[in-house]
Amino acid sequence: MSVKLECPFYDGPRLLPKFCVKSFLAPFETPVEPQFYNALKSGLVDLLGDQSIVASRVLTPYCYTLDIEIKLDEDGFVLPACHADDVHKRIAVCIDGSQRFAANAKKLLGKEAMKQRHLRILGYEVVQIPYYEFEKLKKKKEVVEYLHKKIFPHSYRLSW
């Protein structure tokens, strides 16, 4: 599957079909820590103004699970999660807890780095929210400002 995504031009020998991975399902993916997920989702709802805009645990065509997906129209406006037509940009928010990093380091595990690389190849804008940045935020306003800067770095917001 990695060869198909990363080297579509490759036409050399391949594994026999019985050995090929057709999707990356659990246990390949590391689950999100519930407390981290809930705090981040709450901040996103405050930022975006509506819970129906935030899609959680979205399955991609290659069976990667997105922690959170945000859809934008051509003008950059956020669309409801259930909206399927006229989606111009898809943002994959990766909520990267400590289990997704090497021990005592700020280096993503290989499987997580590969997932994010594959999501980019599939056309997603990937926004990484690492635990070591997020855990420094103490107030709700700090969380909302942080998420705004990470997800929408080129837009200006007048007030929260």
Side-chain angles (χ1 to χ4, degrees), residues 24-146:
F24 292 121
L25 292 174
F28 182 78
E29 294 191 68
T30 308
V32 179
E33 296 152 9
Q35 185 177 357
F36 184 15
Y37 172 81
N38 291 334
L40 192 133
K41 187 169 179 182
S42 175
L44 271 177
V45 170
D46 288 343
L47 173 64
L48 301 174
D50 189 355
Q51 189 166 352
S52 70
I53 290 174
V54 179
S56 302
R57 298 175 184 95
V58 177
L59 199 61
T60 67
Y62 280 82
C63 294
Y64 277 119
T65 304
L66 304 180
D67 299 326
I68 292 179
E69 180 185 41
I70 300 170
K71 299 175 183 177
L72 303 178
D73 68 10
E74 193 172 353
D75 297 319
F77 291 103
V78 180
L79 297 167
C82 62
H83 201 84
D85 299 328
D86 302 320
V87 177
H88 182 70
K89 182 192 267 187
R90 295 176 186 270
I91 300 173
V93 180
C94 296
I95 306 171
D96 294 326
S98 59
Q99 294 175 330
R100 293 184 178 182
F101 288 87
N104 301 318
K106 295 179 180 176
K107 184 86 173 158
L108 269 180
L109 294 174
K111 65 182 183 176
E112 300 300 332
M114 183 173 69
K115 173 184 175 178
Q116 291 182 19
R117 188 172 63 244
H118 287 176
L119 290 173
R120 285 183 185 93
I121 290 168
L122 291 168
Y124 288 89
E125 179 181 320
V126 176
V127 175
Q128 182 187 22
I129 309 291
Y131 75 96
Y132 54 84
E133 290 179 3
F134 196 82
E135 67 186 7
K136 295 176 187 175
L137 309 171
K138 302 299 178 202
K139 298 178 182 173
K140 192 170 231 176
K141 183 177 179 180
E142 291 175 332
V143 169
V144 173
E145 288 175 357
Y146 170 82

Side-chain angles (χ1 to χ4, degrees), residues 11-30:
D11 63 352
R14 294 192 183 239
L15 292 172
L16 295 172
K18 67 180 181 179
F19 298 116
C20 291
V21 175
K22 299 195 180 15
S23 66
F24 292 121
L25 292 174
F28 182 78
E29 294 191 68
T30 308

